[in-house]
Amino acid sequence: MVALVGAHTIGFSHCKEFANRIFHFSKTSEVDPAYNPTYAQGLRKLCHNYTKDPAMSAFNDVYTPGKFDNMYYKNLQRGLGLLSSDQAMVTDPRTKPFVDRYAANQTEFFDMFGRSMLKLSLFMVKENNDGDVRRRCDQFNTIQI
Ligand code: HEM
């Protein structure tokens, strides 16, 4: 799973996906203390108007957003993981060793990413009444009754 989520080395996420981490995080802190503070301030600025402009988004990998590399894992080590599910991989002792390995060794990340994608493709694909391979990740292809 840690290798697969490395796909977040590209693309972007809408502000609503991480708004809870930058606005009113807790009673004692506006922002999630797991974030690098400068990064959190940048995200707050970027997303300040997100309820009125829901298209507002941030790159998943702040340093090399258009490049498929292992920067995503280096970011996680520095509090630059955008989503809480990204951050959780470096906080949880079960997944952190993999984050550290992929951050240190891009070749290993590429190898494990390829293997994991292949493994995923070998699962039974659910069709018809069992499931949907979605054209849009956030919508059923057809209205389900
Ligand atoms: C723990 C598992 C995962 C979670 C919770 C997760 C969550 C998300 C969320 C919330 C977004 C932002 C969507 C948006 O704002 O429109 C996103 C974007 C993205 N995710 Fe994941 N993801 C996961 C695993 C994966 C995996 C396994 C892949 C591919 C192998 C992947 C590839 C991507 C890509 C490429 C984007 C950017 C999409 C774009 O730029 O349009 N994610 N993910």
Side-chain angles (χ1 to χ4, degrees):
M1 189 201 74
V2 179
L4 281 175
V5 185
H8 288 178
T9 179
I10 55 168
F12 58 84
S13 300
H14 295 85
C15 293
K16 78 167 169 57
E17 303 296 345
F18 53 90
N20 62 326
R21 301 187 69 199
I22 49 173
F23 302 120
H24 321 297
F25 179 69
S26 71
K27 281 190 183 133
T28 51
S29 176
E30 276 280 290
V31 304
D32 184 342
Y35 269 135
N36 170 301
T38 312
Y39 180 55
Q41 287 315 312
L43 292 174
R44 277 167 65 90
K45 223 181 237 178
L46 176 78
C47 295
H48 72 280
N49 201 27
Y50 85 98
T51 48
K52 290 201 182 102
D53 185 358
M56 285 313 297
S57 304
F59 288 126
N60 289 327
D61 167 358
V62 66
Y63 279 120
T64 56
K67 194 167 171 223
F68 200 97
D69 57 12
N70 68 338
M71 186 61 79
Y72 167 76
Y73 298 103
K74 295 183 183 179
N75 290 340
L76 295 186
Q77 294 174 322
R78 301 176 190 136
L80 303 175
L82 184 60
L83 306 171
S84 46
S85 55
D86 295 323
Q87 187 61 46
M89 294 203 301
V90 78
T91 314
D92 193 309
R94 292 169 298 181
T95 46
K96 185 175 184 295
F98 296 97
V99 170
D100 292 342
R101 266 162 57 179
Y102 302 149
N105 186 342
Q106 179 164 268
T107 310
E108 188 178 358
F109 164 52
F110 285 172
D111 184 38
M112 294 313 288
F113 183 80
R115 286 168 189 240
S116 313
M117 287 298 291
L118 183 63
K119 236 178 166 178
L120 203 58
S121 75
L122 299 175
F123 280 130
M124 297 271 283
V125 176
K126 294 188 173 176
E127 290 172 306
N128 306 317
N129 289 334
D130 298 330
D132 232 358
V133 178
R134 297 180 180 185
R135 287 186 201 92
R136 272 192 64 128
C137 67
D138 58 349
Q139 275 174 15
F140 293 123
N141 293 340
T142 48
I143 309 275
Q144 315 259 310
I145 304 164

